[in-house]
Amino acid sequence: MSILDFKSEDEILFDPGYSGSVARVSGNIDYLYSAFSAIPSLKQKKFQFSILYPKFLKSIELNSAFYLGCMLWGVYLKSLKNRKIVNNPCFGTEFDDECFFEVDFLINFITGGLNRDAKYYLNKTYTPNPLYIKILENYKEFLSLNKGFIEVEKTDDILLPVALKNPNDADIKEIYNAIYAAVEKDDLTILFTVADKILP
C-alpha cells in the first residue's frame, strides 16, 4: 500500500511507497561487491568491474534518494499532529546496531572504496556527490535518534536531527507533492528536487 491509495484522517503510513522502488535497485551494493571481490583473476575482475561500475553509480544514486526520502517523509509526518503510524515493521522489535550496516557501508564505499577500485580497474576517478554524503550522514543520525524506529507509533514520536531545517507550510506541501510524484512515477530521484527544503 502507498499514499496513492491510502485514505485516512487519523492514520498515516510508515512507508509512503518507497519500498517497491528500492527493491528494484540493480542489486545490493554490498552483495555485488562481495561477489566481485571473490573473483580470483585480475583480468576477469577488470572486466567485471567495468560492468558493475555503472550499476554501482545507479545504486548509490537511488539509495541516496531513498534515504533522503525517509527523512523527507519523517519531516512531513512530524508536521502532522498526533497521527497513528501504521505498517511500521520496526515497531516493538529490539534495537540492533545492524540497522546501521547498510548506510555505514555506503558511506565508506563512496568516500574511499569506489574511487580506489575505479582507479585501479578502470583508470577512472570517482568523486562522490557531496549531496549524497550529506544525505547519508544526516540519515544515520535520523536512524540513531529514532533507535531504528522501534518506538515510533505516532507522528509525535518522530525525532529529527537538529541539523535539518524546519520547513514552513509551503515547503511541507512541496515536500509532500514531490514524495507523491516519486511514488506515482516510481522515480525516487524526483526527491532530490526538494532536498534543500530540509538539508542545511
Side-chain angles (χ1 to χ4, degrees):
M1 182 173 287
S2 75
I3 56 172
L4 303 181
D5 47 25
F6 184 80
K7 307 293 181 189
S8 174
E9 293 294 322
D10 306 311
E11 299 177 331
I12 192 77
L13 291 171
F14 177 75
D15 171 15
Y18 297 147
S19 55
S21 297
V22 174
R24 288 185 288 279
V25 172
S26 57
N28 176 283
I29 294 179
D30 177 46
Y31 175 78
L32 290 173
Y33 195 74
S34 296
F36 162 76
S37 299
I39 298 171
S41 163
L42 178 61
K43 185 177 179 182
Q44 286 180 329
K45 271 191 168 179
K46 285 186 174 181
F47 174 72
Q48 192 63 28
F49 195 83
S50 69
I51 295 171
L52 289 176
Y53 187 67
K55 292 183 179 181
F56 286 148
L57 298 183
K58 188 62 179 174
S59 191
I60 288 167
E61 179 188 38
L62 291 178
N63 275 281
S64 298
F66 169 73
Y67 292 131
L68 170 63
C70 292
M71 291 188 289
L72 288 166
W73 187 240
V75 168
Y76 174 73
L77 292 182
K78 190 72 176 176
S79 74
L80 305 175
K81 302 302 179 186
N82 206 36
R83 289 266 199 102
K84 183 178 180 181
I85 297 174
V86 296
N87 297 345
N88 176 1
C90 310
F91 182 71
T93 61
E94 288 190 19
F95 180 66
D96 189 339
D97 285 344
E98 279 294 307
C99 69
F100 297 112
F101 175 79
E102 287 186 17
V103 68
D104 280 337
F105 179 87
L106 201 53
I107 290 170
N108 293 330
F109 188 62
I110 70 175
T111 58
L114 185 56
N115 184 46
R116 179 197 64 221
D117 289 343
K119 282 182 176 178
Y120 186 74
Y121 296 113
L122 301 178
N123 199 28
K124 287 184 177 180
T125 298
Y126 168 74
T127 303
N129 186 327
L131 175 61
Y132 297 166
I133 296 172
K134 188 183 289 188
I135 288 168
L136 295 172
E137 288 174 345
N138 279 283
Y139 176 77
K140 185 175 178 180
E141 185 181 352
F142 179 54
L143 189 61
S144 179
L145 282 171
N146 291 283
K147 298 179 182 176
F149 310 104
I150 63 171
E151 298 172 357
V152 174
E153 186 175 16
K154 293 188 174 183
T155 53
D156 291 358
D157 298 332
I158 295 171
L159 301 175
L160 300 173
V162 176
L164 294 187
K165 294 178 183 177
N166 187 20
N168 58 34
D169 290 346
D171 289 338
I172 289 290
K173 186 174 181 179
E174 197 172 335
I175 286 169
Y176 179 84
N177 289 340
I179 292 170
Y180 192 95
V183 173
E184 184 180 41
K185 296 177 182 178
D186 194 17
D187 181 6
L188 295 183
T189 62
I190 290 171
L191 300 171
F192 290 129
T193 63
V194 290
D196 65 327
K197 302 300 179 187
I198 65 165
L199 292 177

